[in-house]
Amino acid sequence: MDDYLRVLESLESSRKPHERCWFRGHSDHRWKLVPSALRYGRVQKRNTALALYREFRRHAEDKMEPVSSHSKLDDFEWMQRAQHYGLPTRLLDWTESEAVALYFACLRTDVDGLVCVINPSTLNRQAVPLQPRPLDPEQDEDILGEYMKLSGATNRGGLGTVAVIPAWNNPRIRAQHGTFTLHGSRKLSLDTRDSPSLLYVPIRRKYKCRLLADLNRMNWNEMSLFPEPDKICRHLRQVAKLD
């Protein structure tokens, strides 16, 4: 754990004082930074996945209340909620917490993992030069609205991946200090060509059980990161060695 924190401290020292790094944990080091709706190999399949967002919105319209200052949910808030409930979208989850990312990187103990680190401001300087900061769903509604119109096709001259700070409008996203990258049509995956600040911290499988135990002692575990009652019950069963 100390080695991990020392590596991240050295990375943090290279950024500007007002900028914060974001983190994402992959329990399998082979995974790419691609959101769920864009992982399909064929454009038709990606279009089918993206179309589910509209269906979700149609069926859930009268069942969900807005939590922002708007009188109704905006497009990005709908996409955020669809992501929360497990629908494939063009959003990719990140966190402001290095401990949260490490937890997810350690979930599979049979394979090496990694923690991805980005500077969201650097990412947005590449994609939206006039807004070199993480986008805000209310202030930057017009910019984000263009992403909602995209299909699953790629376009080299199209929109690039951007960093977005969402509304922390449910217990899980608050617990996980959640943020997002919103992927455009220029490229489906995120790599160092899109964000020169993107770095990878390897997490060796032989250390994962020990790291999970360290995180649990600091109250970073399934119960704290997934505060829904069913997750709490599962964690308590596991602690009691009933599962």
Side-chain angles (χ1 to χ4, degrees):
M1 176 67 77
D2 290 341
D3 290 341
Y4 172 70
L5 294 176
R6 274 195 293 270
V7 170
L8 294 185
E9 284 174 7
S10 67
L11 297 177
E12 291 275 352
S13 65
S14 64
R15 64 175 174 79
K16 296 179 181 179
H18 63 282
E19 296 176 344
R20 298 187 64 179
C21 288
W22 290 0
F23 310 91
R24 176 177 170 84
H26 282 182
S27 60
D28 187 329
H29 68 99
R30 294 167 293 187
W31 293 347
K32 295 183 178 180
L33 293 167
V34 185
S36 53
L38 304 180
R39 291 172 189 165
Y40 301 99
R42 293 188 294 122
V43 174
Q44 181 181 0
K45 198 87 168 181
R46 296 197 292 267
N47 286 338
T48 299
L50 290 169
L52 294 178
Y53 154 74
R54 295 292 173 187
E55 283 296 298
F56 169 76
R57 182 168 179 169
R58 183 168 68 87
H59 288 289
E61 192 91 47
D62 62 343
K63 299 178 177 66
M64 293 188 176
E65 296 296 327
V67 295
S68 64
S69 58
H70 295 301
S71 59
K72 61 180 182 179
L73 294 174
D74 59 30
D75 277 343
F76 185 83
E77 200 168 352
W78 272 111
M79 183 175 288
Q80 181 181 333
R81 292 201 179 188
Q83 172 89 352
H84 170 74
Y85 288 107
L87 209 67
T89 74
R90 56 189 331 125
L91 292 172
L92 191 67
D93 293 286
W94 293 76
T95 174
E96 293 178 342
S97 168
E98 57 267 61
V100 172
L102 181 60
Y103 171 82
F104 285 105
C106 292
L107 286 182
R108 278 189 59 182
T109 57
D110 61 331
V111 65
D112 290 343
L114 54 82
V115 170
C116 310
V117 186
I118 60 166
N119 181 325
S121 297
T122 301
L123 175 63
N124 282 14
R125 286 190 194 103
Q126 300 283 111
V128 194
L130 296 179
Q131 298 289 9
R133 55 164 175 79
L135 299 182
D136 177 270
E138 291 192 19
Q139 294 180 37
D140 304 303
E141 188 174 359
D142 291 344
I143 296 174
L144 297 178
E146 294 302 309
Y147 285 79
M148 307 298 150
K149 303 172 187 176
L150 294 176
S151 70
T154 55
N155 175 6
R156 287 187 179 181
L159 298 173
T161 299
V162 291
V164 186
I165 296 181
W168 285 5
N169 56 12
N170 64 68
R172 183 189 297 183
I173 200 169
R174 284 195 296 273
Q176 296 181 8
H177 303 264
T179 57
F180 295 115
T181 49
L182 176 59
H183 292 232
S185 56
R186 192 181 304 169
K187 279 182 60 184
L188 303 182
S189 63
L190 178 62
D191 58 33
T192 52
R193 285 171 291 182
D194 308 293
S195 178
S197 69
L198 177 61
L199 295 169
Y200 305 97
V201 181
I203 308 297
R204 302 302 181 198
R205 58 183 171 182
K206 63 181 178 180
Y207 300 122
K208 286 187 176 184
C209 289
R210 187 199 310 169
L211 288 168
L212 284 173
D214 290 342
L215 288 167
N216 187 54
R217 281 192 291 272
M218 294 183 289
N219 200 35
W220 295 106
N221 52 45
E222 184 180 44
M223 187 166 66
S224 63
L225 297 177
F226 297 90
E228 297 87 354
D230 61 321
K231 301 292 186 181
I232 294 172
C233 291
R234 188 170 76 171
H235 177 76
L236 293 175
R237 290 198 310 270
Q238 289 173 344
V239 170
K241 301 188 183 305
L242 297 177
D243 283 352

